[in-house]
Amino acid sequence: MQLELADASITACTHPTDIPTGGAAVPIEMCQLSVTVRVELNLEVLQVTVTTDRAIRCTKGSFLFRDVTAHSEESLQVWMYPGEPAIPGSLVVTVFCSYTSKQGITRVLQREAHLPLRLFVKGCQPSKEAQHKITLSGATVTGLAQLFPEFIPEGSAASPSALGLQSLLTTGGDGRRVTIVAAKNTNRLRVQSDDLAMLSMVVECLLRRVSGAIATDDEMRKEPPKARLILSGVPAVNELLRVFQIHHELRKELKLLEVSCSCSELSSLQFNSTVMLCSCFPPVD
């Protein structure tokens, strides 16, 4: 059993979302994820499940195949896109493939893919100051143009020393941005932002890209992989607890609004029912 993933196609999103688009300079896009399952044995049941962060939507999350023959392939394609006006906690897409043989033996395979960062952010002017700062040191990378080519204009004479990324998930931009600064004389990258969710998403992507660049460099030099990345300046736990508290209070307010709306609809329904009932009887002289 082999499970292969491929993500390449990016186009304008044609599916409904809850993200406000009024005044947005950049439209919401979607990415196609292709899954191919190569089967070596006769299978009773084959199920493929695609899971991701709740802020990201998938056109179809589960596929079921029955009586799959040996030495065959099953392929499927889904579209992934931002669905909520919230920063996702991770851009990782996990695909689970569970299958049951004719002998009743069940196995599960798991593969991961990463959604393109450009689905959620756009390039913007870097910020000089920010509340939260994380430093990544030991990264033997030539520049930001090699790490984030999709946000660097083509034909740029040199790699910039700073890159700004702004969220696409809010109307007109609300200042939720991240700035990545590359040191001139040392192998350091500083990531700074006032928003912890944005900071987390970009740091996750940066770590993956830097690690990939280091692995490629080691492979070219025929060297064993080395752990060279050091993170410093991670935000204090108190900041995270404050964000959780704000989220909890907002959920409580939302619940109260839902209950209030439900009560209003019930009262309106009872009033209309009473009016209709009275209209069924003629007035008494």
Side-chain angles (χ1 to χ4, degrees):
M1 172 74 69
Q2 296 180 354
L3 177 61
E4 299 180 359
L5 306 181
D7 51 339
S9 302
I10 298 179
T11 185
C13 185
T14 58
H15 299 279
T17 71
D18 293 331
I19 301 173
T21 57
V26 181
I28 299 299
E29 294 181 318
M30 59 183 180
C31 173
Q32 187 182 52
L33 176 68
S34 299
V35 181
T36 302
V37 183
R38 291 186 172 88
V39 180
E40 299 297 333
L41 301 173
N42 293 321
L43 300 181
E44 186 77 22
V45 176
L46 170 64
Q47 183 173 9
V48 180
T49 305
V50 182
T51 62
T52 185
D53 189 277
R54 294 181 62 183
I56 303 171
R57 292 182 184 175
C58 180
T59 51
K60 187 175 181 179
S62 182
F63 299 82
L64 184 64
F65 307 92
R66 295 186 181 277
D67 297 323
V68 182
T69 59
H71 308 293
S72 63
E73 287 187 3
E74 297 291 349
S75 299
L76 56 97
Q77 293 80 35
V78 296
W79 289 95
M80 317 289 296
Y81 56 95
E84 304 290 339
I87 305 298
S90 175
L91 302 186
V92 175
V93 179
T94 305
V95 178
F96 296 96
C97 178
S98 60
Y99 58 95
T100 303
S101 65
K102 294 294 185 178
Q103 292 74 30
I105 302 175
T106 301
R107 295 285 188 272
V108 179
L109 295 179
Q110 177 180 335
R111 294 290 186 274
E112 289 185 351
H114 299 86
L115 294 178
L117 186 61
R118 59 176 278 193
L119 294 182
F120 307 93
V121 298
K122 63 178 180 179
C124 67
Q125 287 295 324
S127 301
K128 294 183 178 180
E129 295 294 334
Q131 181 179 359
H132 309 294
K133 299 178 182 179
I134 293 179
T135 301
L136 178 63
S137 58
T140 55
V141 180
T142 54
L144 294 176
Q146 285 71 31
L147 288 173
F148 299 95
E150 67 271 37
F151 300 110
I152 307 297
E154 294 183 4
S156 299
S159 178
S161 60
L163 173 65
L165 300 174
Q166 187 173 13
S167 172
L168 289 172
L169 306 182
T170 51
T171 304
D174 62 348
R176 304 176 73 177
R177 65 179 62 189
V178 173
T179 298
I180 307 172
V181 182
K184 295 182 179 180
N185 302 320
T186 59
N187 291 324
R188 286 187 177 182
L189 295 170
R190 186 176 74 248
V191 189
Q192 56 188 39
S193 176
D194 292 328
D195 188 90
L196 285 175
M198 282 283 293
L199 187 68
S200 174
M201 181 178 66
V202 174
V203 166
E204 177 195 49
C205 181
L206 181 61
L207 285 173
R208 185 176 69 254
R209 296 190 182 193
V210 170
S211 299
I214 292 178
T216 302
D217 183 61
D218 287 337
E219 184 177 351
M220 293 178 62
R221 297 182 183 183
K222 298 182 179 181
E223 295 179 357
K226 302 175 182 178
R228 307 177 186 174
L229 302 181
I230 301 175
L231 281 177
S232 58
V234 178
V237 176
N238 291 338
E239 294 293 334
L240 296 176
L241 293 178
R242 185 178 65 85
V243 173
F244 295 156
Q245 182 64 31
I246 293 175
H247 176 77
H248 177 68
E249 295 298 332
L250 290 175
R251 291 297 301 268
K252 287 175 60 177
E253 293 181 9
L254 177 61
K255 187 65 176 179
L256 290 175
L257 287 174
E258 291 176 346
V259 172
S260 177
C261 291
S262 299
C263 293
S264 299
E265 292 177 357
L266 181 60
S267 299
S268 177
L269 180 62
Q270 291 176 343
F271 175 77
N272 293 334
S273 300
T274 303
V275 172
M276 293 179 61
L277 182 62
C278 293
S279 63
C280 294
F281 296 92
V284 180
D285 296 332

